[in-house]
Amino acid sequence: MKNKHGNIVWNFFASVKLALFTLFTLAAASIIGTIIPQNEVASRYVELYGPGVAKVFQALDIPNMYDSWWFLSLLVLFSINLTICTIERFPHIWKVVTHDNLTTKVSRLQNMSLRRVFKSTIGLEQTNAAVQKIMAKAGWKTSQCAKDDGTLFFSQKGAWTRLGVIIVHVSILVIFTGALIGKFYGYKASIMLPEGGSSDVVYRSSDDHPPIPLGFTLKCNDFKLTYYDTGMPKEFRSNLSVVKNGKELLSKSIVVNDPMKFGGLTFYQSSYQAIDGQFAATLVNESSQAKQKFILQYPTKQATKWPAEKISFGITDVEGPDMMRRFRYKIWFSDGTGTPSSFWMNQESTVKVKRPGSNYFLSLSPRFATGLQVAKDPGVWVVYTGCIMMILGLIIIFFMSHKRIWIFVSKNEDGEDQILINGTSNKNKIGFEKIMSSLYEKFEDSKLLQGENHG
């Protein structure tokens, strides 16, 4: 279909059929990308779908669909189509929004379906004043001009709502722009951070990318794993700190769906992993409340020491796991006085060690590494802005309308003063009819006017 431009290329990109094609294709591709796992190793697709189908998937780049050339080409095509459609429609819409409706011909008003005619007995000048008063009281601000030996009044509400479709079009382009900013200037990375450990870099999933500097040090102060009564993991929680130039800038305990944000980065709790042969221990002096954390090795030939308290201790044996997947540890403990203590303690428990000089509380658990997903998306606020614009545009499109009312005061063929009232609305015709009915009632209730229905 050709338009006023008479340009084949322009007409192609302005086509509604092209818009429908790209929309349906993008929707179908998104469904496929949701059903088929993305970014898995090639052997995984062979295992799931067989070698033949897996080969087709690789040829079409299905495993990496959202970064594939054809999916990105569809997005570009849709963006161009949407931009040109917006350029095509905007002048006409803007003309309607800014149109001087007092130039409307009286003959057109007389042919509108939604109209009423009232007779007046107070003269044209007083009738004009009464019309202004009634409309103002009903919440309609009027403008007027002399026309065809009479006076034409006009009032409208919601002319700007015509721009709702433009807002939706622009919002989609804004969302695409934000997504592109995130793709080209952001990244997704990960790190396994041992309990008590720290790092100033994170790593992308592929080996061909170098480590990404954070610009600060991320430290895992503590990791807690809780269990259901069945022994299954219930919650894993990491206590993280951000340190820069030796100063702690932020500390937060994170769990799944409750990330930490700092410096444009978001740190998500994603996994955990026990470190073989390593255990996290905490000792507290009951009297002085002195506290120290340690990393124990098992097996090991050397005891772990706390010089300030003259303590040496370590794990000499391990039993388990039991039905609850818990271990027991045999502890050797000495403070340099008397006979060293030897006892068993359960995983994730705290025991009181009684010694001649002082008593100590010992907590022991396997040492874990917390798995963190790290995301940088500088385009996220652009996407949020686009989403807000889209919601606003959809509200305008579905719940608001452009309402226009004309009132023409003149003499009829019999020389009587009459008032012609009519109006239109681009949407919600039933609701507008109720508005007009209410307005008619206000004219009928006026003591200055007498009305009859000619609609």
Side-chain angles (χ1 to χ4, degrees):
M1 181 178 68
K2 292 187 177 181
N3 59 20
K4 60 183 180 181
H5 293 278
N7 185 295
I8 296 177
V9 176
W10 181 275
N11 293 342
F12 171 76
F13 284 109
S15 170
V16 175
K17 292 181 179 179
L18 177 63
L20 293 175
F21 168 78
T22 52
L23 271 176
F24 283 121
T25 306
L26 285 170
S30 299
I31 293 172
I32 294 172
T34 302
I35 296 174
I36 298 175
Q38 297 291 295
N39 299 309
E40 298 280 354
V41 296
S43 58
R44 178 62 174 163
Y45 296 100
V46 174
E47 177 186 343
L48 290 174
Y49 306 105
V53 175
K55 189 174 182 179
V56 173
F57 283 180
Q58 294 295 331
L60 296 176
D61 215 3
I62 299 296
N64 190 29
M65 176 183 295
Y66 301 112
D67 289 325
S68 64
W69 66 269
W70 61 268
F71 189 86
L72 294 177
S73 298
L74 280 173
L75 290 177
V76 171
L77 181 62
F78 180 67
S79 298
I80 295 173
N81 174 246
L82 194 61
T83 300
I84 293 180
C85 284
T86 303
I87 294 173
E88 284 271 304
R89 297 189 63 176
F90 181 76
H92 172 71
I93 293 174
W94 186 248
K95 185 177 180 180
V96 173
V97 172
T98 59
H99 180 66
D100 181 7
N101 286 275
L102 288 174
T103 61
T104 305
K105 293 182 179 180
V106 174
S107 58
R108 180 189 168 195
L109 300 180
Q110 292 171 341
N111 293 327
M112 289 185 180
S113 59
L114 193 62
R115 70 183 186 276
R116 287 282 294 272
V117 177
F118 293 87
K119 290 182 179 179
S120 173
T121 59
I122 58 176
L124 289 179
E125 186 174 343
Q126 287 183 294
T127 300
N128 290 339
V131 168
Q132 282 187 308
K133 184 176 180 181
I134 294 171
M135 291 294 287
K137 195 171 182 180
W140 293 84
K141 183 179 179 180
T142 58
S143 56
Q144 67 183 76
C145 72
K147 195 177 190 72
D148 295 351
D149 297 326
T151 302
L152 179 63
F153 295 85
F154 175 74
S155 182
Q156 67 178 345
K157 292 182 179 180
W160 57 272
T161 63
R162 299 273 186 170
L163 298 172
V165 65
I166 301 298
I167 295 174
V168 172
H169 285 189
V170 173
S171 72
I172 296 174
L173 296 174
V174 170
I175 292 172
F176 284 175
T177 300
L180 290 175
I181 292 173
K183 176 176 177 57
F184 291 108
Y185 297 98
Y187 60 79
K188 291 183 179 180
S190 62
I191 187 173
M192 293 297 293
L193 196 59
E195 186 177 1
S198 61
S199 177
D200 58 2
V201 297
V202 292
Y203 304 88
R204 294 183 188 265
S205 57
S206 56
D207 296 332
D208 56 343
H209 289 89
I212 303 172
L214 293 173
F216 54 85
T217 298
L218 180 67
K219 184 178 180 181
C220 178
N221 302 306
D222 191 26
F223 180 87
K224 291 294 183 184
L225 178 63
T226 56
Y227 298 86
Y228 290 104
D229 293 338
T230 59
M232 296 296 293
K234 180 179 181 182
E235 178 188 80
F236 42 104
R237 178 183 295 270
S238 300
N239 188 335
L240 305 178
S241 291
V242 173
V243 179
K244 189 172 185 178
N245 299 326
K247 183 178 180 181
E248 183 177 281
L249 303 180
L250 177 65
S251 180
K252 182 177 180 179
S253 179
I254 70 169
V255 293
V256 176
N257 297 326
D258 183 19
M260 180 181 75
K261 296 183 178 181
F262 180 82
L265 300 175
T266 304
F267 298 88
Y268 299 92
Q269 179 72 78
S270 62
S271 63
Y272 65 92
Q273 179 179 320
I275 303 176
D276 291 340
Q278 294 189 11
F279 302 86
T282 303
L283 268 177
V284 181
N285 187 311
E286 184 181 33
S287 301
S288 66
Q289 291 300 302
K291 184 178 180 180
Q292 185 69 33
K293 292 186 175 181
F294 304 90
I295 302 299
L296 305 184
Q297 297 280 347
Y298 176 81
T300 182
K301 296 180 179 180
Q302 295 182 344
T304 301
K305 299 181 181 298
W306 187 4
E309 296 285 330
K310 299 180 180 179
I311 289 175
S312 298
F313 71 109
I315 301 174
T316 60
D317 197 6
V318 176
E319 287 185 352
D322 58 14
M323 295 293 293
M324 301 296 290
R325 301 183 183 180
R326 305 290 180 86
F327 291 85
R328 294 179 70 234
Y329 311 104
K330 188 174 184 180
I331 308 297
W332 177 88
F333 191 99
S334 174
D335 61 357
T337 62
T339 304
S341 301
S342 182
F343 54 89
W344 286 89
M345 65 180 298
N346 294 323
Q347 176 179 321
E348 307 287 352
S349 66
T350 300
V351 298
K352 185 175 183 179
V353 185
K354 297 180 180 180
R355 298 299 300 166
S358 180
N359 296 330
Y360 296 88
F361 292 101
L362 172 63
S363 301
L364 185 66
S365 63
R367 189 189 185 199
F368 289 94
T370 180
L372 303 175
Q373 293 289 334
V374 186
K376 179 182 180 181
D377 188 357
V380 65
W381 288 107
V382 179
V383 173
Y384 287 162
T385 300
C387 291
I388 293 172
M389 290 176 61
M390 178 174 287
I391 293 171
L392 176 62
L394 292 175
I395 290 174
I396 292 172
I397 289 173
F398 289 108
F399 299 102
M400 298 182 181
S401 60
H402 181 194
K403 299 176 281 289
R404 293 178 290 179
I405 296 176
W406 291 267
I407 301 177
F408 184 58
V409 179
S410 63
K411 289 185 177 293
N412 61 20
E413 296 177 352
D414 298 327
E416 299 174 320
D417 297 340
Q418 71 173 19
I419 305 167
L420 171 64
I421 306 175
N422 49 28
T424 63
S425 175
N426 66 326
K427 286 175 289 187
N428 192 13
K429 306 295 185 181
I430 296 177
F432 184 66
E433 287 179 4
K434 292 180 180 179
I435 292 174
M436 293 298 291
S437 296
S438 175
L439 188 61
Y440 296 152
E441 290 177 3
K442 287 179 171 54
F443 274 87
E444 288 172 350
D445 293 340
S446 172
K447 297 179 180 179
L448 300 178
L449 307 174
Q450 295 177 346
E452 60 184 40
N453 185 358
H454 289 254

